[in-house]
Amino acid sequence: MHVGPHIRGDAADSMMVMQPWLWWLVIAGVLGVGEMLTLALILGMTALAALVAGAVAGVGGPLPVQLVAFAATSVVLLLGLRPVARRHLHQAPAVATGTDALIGMTGVVLEPVNGDGDGRVRIRGEIWSARATIDGQVLEPGTSVRVLRIDGATAIVHPAQL
């Protein structure tokens, strides 16, 4: 003898089984969280593919069509979009800033510059200690120089006409 309520048929099935589009949404969410933790761009692309498969499921597409949509979208995103996204993530800034912006700039010697870093140059209106690139070379005041690099607070320079 059975005591208590008993649900039969479609009502029981709908309470026990999640809709396919909801499964895809859960999968996309898990993959999205994984992407935020790893930043590898692989999980994010597959999360987008899961959303596409979820949309196919939402309009009533059968499971094989959902899987094909997921696989095809994953391949397209991973092979097409991921390399472009990675290039943009690992690209150097287009505009040099800070001391990097001084590299290649010209300046004028204010005090004799030698290989020991005793001289001074004016670069973009600022006065920098400077060192010549060639040992024994002395750059006299008024000489136009080009900045090769910045070493700490010292500009490494050479004559601008070289």
Side-chain angles (χ1 to χ4, degrees):
M1 173 180 232
H2 177 64
V3 179
H6 184 68
I7 302 174
R8 293 186 182 206
D10 290 339
D13 291 340
S14 67
M15 289 176 54
M16 300 294 229
V17 178
M18 273 195 332
Q19 296 295 317
W21 65 267
L22 193 53
W23 278 111
W24 286 112
L25 188 61
V26 169
I27 291 168
V30 169
L31 291 169
V33 168
E35 177 62 39
M36 286 188 276
L37 296 174
T38 64
L39 299 176
L41 296 177
I42 294 172
L43 297 176
M45 300 295 164
T46 53
L48 291 173
L51 289 175
V52 170
V56 170
V59 297
L63 182 60
V65 175
Q66 296 169 36
L67 293 174
V68 167
F70 175 75
T73 305
S74 293
V75 168
V76 168
L77 290 175
L78 290 172
L79 296 179
L81 185 59
R82 185 172 183 262
V84 173
R86 286 185 60 83
R87 249 192 326 273
H88 286 285
L89 285 176
H90 299 292
Q91 184 175 340
V95 177
T97 59
T99 57
D100 289 338
L102 297 175
I103 296 173
M105 292 281 122
T106 57
V108 176
V109 176
L110 300 176
E111 297 175 12
V113 173
N114 58 32
D116 297 327
D118 295 331
R120 300 271 183 263
V121 295
R122 180 182 311 273
I123 307 164
R124 294 180 119 185
E126 296 180 345
I127 298 174
W128 286 77
S129 61
R131 185 170 71 230
T133 57
I134 301 171
D135 286 335
Q137 181 181 37
V138 176
L139 303 171
E140 296 298 328
T143 304
S144 181
V145 293
R146 185 168 311 279
V147 179
L148 291 178
R149 69 179 189 275
I150 302 293
D151 185 13
T154 302
I156 312 302
V157 298
H158 66 97
Q161 52 272 34
L162 283 180

